[in-house]
Amino acid sequence: MKIYTSSAATIYLIGSGGMGLSHPCDSHVYVIESAGECAMIDAGSGVKPERLYERMLEDGIDPLTIKTIILTHSHWDHSRGAAWAKRLTGARLAVHQLGVKTMQDIRWPTSHLEKHGIQSEAAHVECPLQDNDVIQLGRISLKVIHTPGHSDDSICLHTDIDGKSILFGGDTCFAEGGHGTVNAETNFRAYRDSVKRLDAIKIDVLLPGHKHFVLSRAFSHISLLERKLSGSWTDVVQTRVPFFPTWWLEHDSSLYDDAQPEVRS
Ligand SMILES: [Zn+2]
């Protein structure tokens, strides 16, 4: 499903459990194409991965043009499909260096699938990533931003396409100020600092790992999460704001900058 296009690049959503594009276990799976070269962002759960292939064919994507598979982190719903995707495409696999061991050795022994007796394959990582690495793709570049919090190995990918600031957010930030799963192990200070860093970029387009994407003014959604993580713990517990978040509108005066009707002479 084509979700963003410009003269420099096109972005497709080829997998999503939440949106019903592929198996319910899947995170969102994106393909970004520029000058005939593609990268896959996340690889889904690996359950019924042929559904991702069907979506590729519907969108006219040749799997052999996918040169890099980049994982936003090594949680199984995003990454267990990497072994399948590597076989299909012949692409190199990239994940933050803290996620390499999970992909190659650990392989999600505590996942729902393993509990049901479904084994997982190792996937060799050719490109261990670090903060500020840059991945070239056709006419654009994807910058790696290490965003520990939801997981130690979480990254976001930032790119500018024709003047639009675009972020693949993984499970670090969702629309409407949503955040990824947290538990007693979560490093909330690291999470807060990661989101502060994203908030400073002024993102236009947010393409997260789950739930809906945001095609304009995404900075307001990220700012909302920054305020929640910088506030009291009760702010963090609230994971979602109403669909029409009136208190958010009250707090972002920039929303009214272009609210006046155009005057035509
Ligand atoms: Zn996750």
Side-chain angles (χ1 to χ4, degrees):
M1 180 169 69
K2 187 185 293 185
I3 56 174
Y4 185 88
T5 190
S6 80
S7 60
T10 303
I11 301 173
Y12 303 88
L13 185 68
I14 64 155
S16 166
M19 294 188 187
L21 270 181
S22 60
H23 192 273
C25 288
D26 286 343
S27 67
H28 291 349
V29 180
Y30 299 95
V31 169
I32 179 167
E33 179 274 331
S34 179
E37 190 178 329
C38 294
M40 180 186 287
I41 315 292
D42 281 332
S45 65
V47 183
K48 302 284 183 188
E50 58 273 18
R51 293 184 187 170
L52 301 182
Y53 180 56
E54 291 164 7
R55 299 287 91 77
M56 283 187 216
L57 295 183
E58 286 172 4
D59 286 332
I61 298 165
D62 178 354
L64 297 179
T65 61
I66 296 175
K67 301 301 180 189
T68 311
I69 300 161
I70 309 166
L71 305 177
T72 60
H73 59 307
S74 64
H75 283 170
W76 68 279
D77 53 330
H78 295 252
S79 63
R80 186 177 171 277
W84 169 84
K86 288 189 73 172
R87 273 197 303 278
L88 179 73
T89 63
R92 60 182 183 162
L93 180 61
V95 66
H96 189 270
Q97 57 187 1
L98 295 176
V100 172
K101 191 170 177 58
T102 297
M103 298 304 302
Q104 297 185 167
D105 303 326
I106 300 174
R107 289 183 276 157
W108 317 281
T110 58
S111 76
H112 298 299
L113 296 176
E114 299 286 331
K115 288 173 185 168
H116 284 87
I118 302 170
Q119 303 299 307
S120 300
E121 291 178 75
H124 182 68
V125 177
E126 287 81 9
C127 303
L129 299 172
Q130 299 181 53
D131 190 38
N132 290 322
D133 280 352
V134 174
I135 299 165
Q136 286 300 136
L137 177 73
R139 293 166 53 196
I140 66 166
S141 54
L142 297 163
K143 182 182 173 188
V144 174
I145 305 174
H146 184 210
T147 52
H150 168 70
S151 68
D152 290 345
D153 64 348
S154 282
I155 62 166
C156 294
L157 293 163
H158 179 239
T159 185
D160 281 303
I161 302 178
D162 288 343
K164 286 269 190 184
S165 177
I166 297 176
L167 188 79
F168 292 92
D171 283 359
T172 296
C173 51
F174 296 125
E176 300 175 18
H179 58 77
T181 305
V182 292
N183 60 26
E185 306 300 320
T186 300
N187 183 339
F188 280 96
R189 286 185 176 150
Y191 207 152
R192 177 197 61 194
D193 292 347
S194 294
V195 172
K196 277 186 180 296
R197 203 173 157 197
L198 299 177
D199 189 34
I201 300 174
K202 192 149 188 183
I203 301 297
D204 297 309
V205 176
L206 172 62
L207 302 173
H210 299 275
K211 304 179 184 178
H212 68 81
F213 40 83
V214 182
L215 298 178
S216 66
R217 309 188 74 97
F219 53 84
S220 293
H221 297 248
I222 294 170
S223 286
L224 183 57
L225 177 57
E226 191 278 330
R227 286 199 292 277
K228 285 161 66 175
L229 286 169
S230 297
S232 69
W233 70 272
T234 51
D235 295 324
V236 176
V237 170
Q238 181 196 9
T239 58
R240 192 174 160 80
V241 294
F243 182 68
F244 188 71
T246 51
W247 69 268
W248 163 26
L249 296 178
E250 287 169 8
H251 283 75
D252 183 1
S253 60
S254 75
L255 286 168
Y256 305 101
D257 289 350
D258 56 2
Q260 295 296 331
E262 288 181 32
V263 178
R264 293 171 190 268
S265 57

